[in-house]
Amino acid sequence: MRTITHWLDGKPFAGSGDRVGEVFDPALGVAVAEVDYASPGVVDEAVAAASRAFDAWRSSSLSQRSKVLFAVRELVAAHSDDLAFLMTGEQGKPL
């Protein structure tokens, strides 16, 4: 079964959660993954990483931010079928 972990500083969190929860496919009623629950320390690390990222983002020029957002838009468009499949599995809705 796959494990869903946290993302910190743009990469998967290297540690493991002390507690996990099951992720169910609501259409089938079966567990399809486990998700790591965050400890207070992991939350603190995530907040610190977000704060650092915000400092870099706000000092970026408008043109640089626009390039990033347009790149995200292109990635979403390129992977829309994959995203729809993932969302269907998480929400139990028809594809």
Side-chain angles (χ1 to χ4, degrees):
M1 186 175 304
R2 75 183 169 105
T3 299
I4 301 167
T5 191
H6 311 287
W7 282 77
L8 297 168
D9 284 329
K11 58 188 176 293
F13 179 62
S16 62
D18 295 332
R19 297 181 322 128
V20 297
E22 291 182 317
V23 178
F24 287 89
D25 178 332
L28 303 175
V30 296
V32 294
E34 289 183 335
V35 62
D36 289 336
Y37 291 149
S39 66
V42 172
V43 172
D44 290 342
E45 288 181 54
V47 169
S51 180
R52 289 189 302 273
F54 175 70
D55 288 339
W57 179 255
R58 80 171 162 194
S59 65
S60 299
S61 69
L62 180 58
S63 65
Q64 182 60 35
R65 288 187 216 177
S66 296
K67 287 178 187 176
V68 170
L69 293 175
F70 279 112
V72 169
R73 182 186 71 173
E74 291 300 318
L75 286 170
V76 168
H79 296 281
S80 61
D81 290 342
D82 297 331
L83 292 170
F85 180 78
L86 290 171
M87 293 173 67
T88 297
E90 291 177 358
Q91 298 175 7
K93 305 288 185 188
L95 184 59

